[in-house]
Amino acid sequence: MRPGYRGAPAPAVAPGKPAAKPGKKAPPRRVEPWQRQEEEEGVRRLSHYRRPAPARVERRPVVARKVTVRGPLTVKDLAEKLNVPAADVIKKLLGMGVLATINQELDRETAMIVATEFGAEVKEPEVTQEQLLVEDRQVEEPEDEALLRPRPPVVTVMGHVDHGKTSLLDAIRHTRVTDQEAGGITQHIGAYTVEWSDRRVVFVDTPGHEAFTAMRARGAKVTDIAVLVVAADDGVMPQTVEAISHARAAGVPIVVAINKIDRGDARPDRVKQQLSEHGLIPEDWGGDTVMVPVSARTGENLERLLEMILLVADMQEVKANPDRPARGTIIEAKLDRGRGPVGTVIVQAGTLRAGDAFVAGLTWGKVRAMSDDRGRQVKEAGPSMPVEVIGFEEVPLAGDILRVVPDEHMARSVAEQRQLRHRTEEQQARRVGLEDFMRQAKAGEVRELRLVIKADVQGSVEALRQALGKLEHPEVRVVILHEGVGAISESDIMLAFASGAIVIGFNVRPDVNARRAAEQVGVEVRTYRIIYELLDEVRAAMRGLLKPTLREVSLGRAQVRATFHVPRVGNVAGCYVTEGKVLRGAQVRVVRDGTVVHEGRIDSLRRFKEDAREVPAGMECGIFIERFQDVKEGDELEVYTVEEVRPEL
């Protein structure tokens, strides 16, 4: 190793020379040229390996160009859609004055604004065919006739309390349903399947007490045939009349079962006479209503009643497609302590199977288990079959439509959309009144006025029916859903709410429960003491439902004597009013040589240099016609207006 090279031992002090004293600077070392060259090469090689790394450039994520916001979503979900950190979304919200955390839910409008702030384009959500199928407002598409198969008819048993509805059904089913009810009165809606003559019939038993009017209304809506039970010893009662009104509002045929004919004081002919007063004429009297006298105690004529039910069902031709996704109606729902939310469903189309995901009103779920009316577990339920379904996320409402969807994700999404829409509609809820019918008539929404009438005496009811019956017109009519004597009850309010009707009371008032129910559901109740005031308001409401006709009303005529060109305005006609008057803003028709060359509006009308509202006959004026410059001397101007004329009743 060469002396003096880095790493070589230091040269020894020459003998005879003293060592450098401490504190005294050592003399500079002599470096040879070859040594300097080697040192420079070593430093150069060392600097190559110690070169600093280039500065790291932070790459920002690319914001999504297009995003789809379907409904409420959390800050985290929105950040994932935009492909940005959640902290950036929170900063944007803070800048907007919204304090939010990463798991906080944002409404759709706020999410759209934040997405726009990031420069993303918000697209409307694409609605799939499955989602259209589960929409509440989606109209059912007609089924292919080749796919339809006969199904068991759904029969609703209706009538007055203690007239033997459940006992009659009990005799048909050979069970003792009434023994399980409190006081022998049905307190819930039950659906039962009866097999007779190799055919099946589904019966829906509705409570007869007036407190359950709403449930009776729901029962009538899911049925194919309504069986009206009337006691032969009691006759037609108020709830019997209400049951007739519900069945007619649902548009289903009525079969009358005159029960308790085994009693000594039974008078079936008197029952037929009373029913004929309400429009139900027996077949043996020349009418079209099937009436069968029966006895639930002895079983008399029960087979004939079933024969008549099946005959009416065959005339109705009740069919359904069993191979489509299931759709049904919830007739009852409850919260079971051990099983959770449970709903009783009547399948109306398709086949409901265990494991199907579904949407029901504002909730959703998956079928975990099903049982029939006798408590037996079943794996599937076809059309018209009543089953008890377990698997709802929340307790549904009776009357909700259950629809099967492809998967749970879609079921949850649709339920959330419905809940959002429901909250919005609740905020915009309004009362139904006569003024609303007039407003709806302009939009072409309604063409009939539905009424529920209550009066103090039967004579007043007859007078109101006759007076309202005279208010006839080909385009609009009054439909009396129910009429009765006595105070306005809660059942009247529920019937009006279910049918979109108005309750009218003549010399009667609503009770406390009816008034509270009307305020909750938004049904208008109008009370009168003078029949002419009632008829005038109903007549005005019907007139509002009629489509107005347009009528042309002539105002006057004018002759063009000269034309003038006004800068920045155009050609102005100097006219002489020959007949009537000329109004500013009125319609005008330009006639030249007997031919109409233009129809428009008078935009400006002047008398000398001042604006004029109207100019009568015998005076001169200047007229500027909107969007018309080709006015010439000798033209005739016909001035007119168009009025809407309401037809008279």
Side-chain angles (χ1 to χ4, degrees):
M1 187 177 291
R2 297 171 183 164
Y5 188 76
R6 183 175 299 176
V13 181
K17 290 186 179 181
K21 296 181 179 180
K24 188 175 181 181
K25 187 177 181 181
R29 183 175 63 88
R30 182 178 177 180
V31 180
E32 298 295 335
W34 58 271
Q35 294 177 338
R36 184 180 295 109
Q37 182 178 358
E38 288 186 358
E39 288 181 358
E40 291 177 355
E41 290 179 0
V43 171
R44 196 161 45 246
R45 287 194 298 269
L46 186 61
S47 63
H48 173 73
Y49 290 105
R50 294 181 178 178
R51 183 177 300 169
R56 181 174 298 176
V57 179
E58 184 179 359
R59 294 185 178 181
R60 303 285 295 176
V62 179
V63 180
R65 294 183 178 181
K66 296 182 179 180
V67 295
T68 302
V69 181
R70 297 184 180 274
L73 72 168
T74 62
V75 173
K76 180 181 178 181
D77 295 337
L78 180 59
E80 292 177 355
K81 285 180 174 290
L82 294 172
N83 195 26
V84 297
D88 293 354
V89 177
I90 295 176
K91 290 179 182 178
K92 287 287 185 183
L93 291 171
L94 287 174
M96 297 166 53
V98 179
L99 184 61
T101 61
I102 190 172
N103 293 323
Q104 184 167 337
E105 189 178 78
L106 304 176
D107 55 55
R108 185 171 183 269
E109 290 73 16
T110 304
M112 293 173 61
I113 295 175
V114 173
T116 307
E117 290 290 330
F118 279 97
E121 179 185 352
V122 181
K123 300 190 301 181
E124 290 294 328
E126 297 180 359
V127 182
T128 62
Q129 183 67 22
E130 291 81 3
Q131 286 174 315
L132 287 177
L133 190 65
V134 297
E135 282 291 333
D136 284 338
R137 300 174 183 174
Q138 176 72 13
V139 179
E140 289 295 327
E141 297 182 358
E143 293 279 1
D144 187 0
E145 292 292 336
L147 302 177
L148 298 180
R149 299 291 182 270
R151 62 174 177 83
V154 179
V155 180
T156 298
V157 183
M158 310 175 75
H160 189 71
V161 61
D162 200 28
H163 274 203
K165 301 182 305 300
T166 308
S167 299
L168 180 63
L169 183 60
D170 177 42
I172 295 175
R173 297 176 58 238
H174 302 289
T175 58
R176 302 300 302 171
V177 178
T178 52
D179 293 344
Q180 304 173 5
E181 302 293 348
I185 299 177
T186 305
Q187 303 289 328
H188 66 281
I189 290 182
Y192 314 101
T193 302
V194 175
E195 295 186 1
W196 184 81
S197 185
D198 297 333
R199 297 182 64 179
R200 290 192 303 167
V201 180
V202 178
F203 285 90
V204 178
D205 181 24
T206 62
H209 195 267
E210 63 178 5
F212 303 98
T213 302
M215 284 193 286
R216 287 207 309 276
R218 291 196 298 269
K221 289 183 179 179
V222 300
T223 188
D224 301 315
I225 302 171
V227 173
L228 180 65
V229 180
V230 186
D233 60 339
D234 201 5
V236 175
M237 301 300 288
Q239 279 72 45
T240 308
V241 180
E242 292 177 5
I244 296 174
S245 302
H246 285 303
R248 285 176 173 170
V252 296
I254 299 176
V255 175
V256 179
I258 304 177
N259 194 19
K260 302 182 181 181
I261 61 172
D262 56 311
R263 294 195 175 184
D265 55 349
R267 299 173 58 186
D269 292 336
R270 183 174 67 94
V271 174
K272 294 181 180 180
Q273 177 64 35
Q274 293 174 342
L275 291 174
S276 64
E277 296 175 358
H278 296 278
L280 299 181
I281 311 299
E283 286 184 329
D284 51 353
W285 289 10
D288 56 356
T289 303
V290 178
M291 296 189 183
V292 181
V294 297
S295 174
R297 176 182 296 181
T298 62
E300 183 180 354
N301 287 338
L302 291 184
E303 293 185 357
R304 184 166 179 266
L305 177 62
L306 291 174
E307 289 179 359
M308 292 297 101
I309 291 174
L310 292 176
L311 178 61
V312 175
D314 293 339
M315 296 175 62
Q316 295 291 109
E317 295 184 355
V318 289
K319 296 181 179 180
N321 180 10
D323 299 326
R324 55 160 288 175
R327 173 177 57 84
T329 300
I330 298 174
I331 61 174
E332 189 54 87
K334 62 182 179 180
L335 181 61
D336 190 274
R337 181 172 299 179
R339 299 180 297 173
V342 180
T344 303
V345 182
I346 288 185
V347 181
Q348 295 173 299
T351 302
L352 184 64
R353 297 179 175 86
D356 285 346
F358 60 83
V359 178
L362 302 180
T363 186
W364 63 282
K366 183 179 180 180
V367 180
R368 297 204 310 265
M370 291 188 298
S371 57
D372 60 10
D373 58 308
R374 299 183 183 271
R376 298 172 298 187
Q377 294 290 325
V378 294
K379 295 296 183 181
E380 61 181 28
S384 299
M385 182 175 179
V387 287
E388 197 173 54
V389 177
I390 302 175
F392 292 87
E393 286 293 315
E394 298 177 0
V395 179
L397 298 178
D400 285 344
I401 303 299
L402 182 144
R403 299 178 187 267
V404 171
V405 294
D407 50 49
E408 296 182 46
H409 176 73
M410 179 173 293
R412 182 196 298 269
S413 175
V414 173
E416 290 176 352
Q417 293 178 23
R418 291 185 179 181
Q419 293 171 6
L420 176 63
R421 188 179 63 198
H422 179 69
R423 290 194 295 266
T424 304
E425 291 177 350
E426 276 189 341
Q427 297 174 357
Q428 301 174 353
R430 59 176 179 82
R431 296 176 63 87
V432 178
L434 291 178
E435 293 81 2
D436 298 316
F437 279 95
M438 298 180 188
R439 181 194 59 78
Q440 295 174 6
K442 296 181 180 179
E445 298 177 8
V446 293
R447 282 295 177 269
E448 64 181 19
L449 183 61
R450 301 179 179 180
L451 302 176
V452 174
I453 299 177
K454 297 299 287 290
D456 53 348
V457 293
Q458 187 64 33
S460 299
V461 174
E462 296 292 336
L464 288 175
R465 186 196 305 121
Q466 294 178 4
L468 293 174
K470 296 179 180 179
L471 301 179
E472 297 180 352
H473 194 275
E475 298 181 7
V476 65
R477 63 193 181 102
V478 173
V479 179
I480 301 177
L481 296 178
H482 173 65
E483 58 186 30
V485 177
I488 299 173
S489 63
E490 185 178 359
S491 62
D492 300 324
I493 302 298
M494 298 308 298
L495 174 59
F497 173 68
S499 306
I502 297 173
V503 180
I504 291 181
F506 185 73
N507 288 333
V508 293
R509 305 287 298 179
D511 56 25
V512 177
N513 295 331
R515 188 163 53 250
R516 186 182 300 112
E519 293 176 356
Q520 291 177 354
V521 301
V523 172
E524 183 178 6
V525 179
R526 294 207 172 195
T527 58
Y528 302 90
R529 296 185 64 86
I530 302 175
I531 191 171
Y532 300 108
E533 294 180 357
L534 187 154
L535 295 177
D536 289 342
E537 291 201 11
V538 173
R539 187 181 292 108
M542 293 182 62
R543 191 180 297 114
L545 299 178
L546 295 175
K547 293 182 179 180
T549 58
L550 301 179
R551 183 177 64 183
E552 181 179 313
V553 180
S554 178
L555 296 178
R557 302 174 66 92
Q559 184 180 16
V560 180
R561 298 283 180 88
T563 59
F564 308 94
H565 182 75
V566 179
R568 294 181 294 182
V569 176
N571 294 333
V572 177
C575 302
Y576 178 79
V577 182
T578 58
E579 297 179 11
K581 60 183 178 180
V582 177
L583 286 180
R584 183 179 60 206
Q587 300 295 317
V588 63
R589 186 179 294 113
V590 182
V591 181
R592 184 178 301 161
D593 297 332
T595 304
V596 178
V597 296
H598 179 73
E599 291 188 7
R601 189 179 69 90
I602 298 177
D603 185 67
S604 177
L605 179 64
R606 289 205 169 202
R607 172 76 177 153
F608 297 107
K609 294 185 179 181
E610 297 180 356
D611 290 334
R613 183 178 178 276
E614 67 177 57
V615 177
M619 292 188 178
E620 296 179 346
C621 61
I623 299 176
F624 175 69
I625 303 176
E626 185 180 28
R627 298 180 181 178
F628 185 67
Q629 301 290 328
D630 191 26
V631 62
K632 297 181 179 180
E633 296 183 12
D635 290 347
E636 292 286 338
L637 304 183
E638 297 180 358
V639 184
Y640 63 96
T641 59
V642 178
E643 296 180 352
E644 290 186 354
V645 180
R646 292 284 180 181
E648 294 295 332
L649 296 175

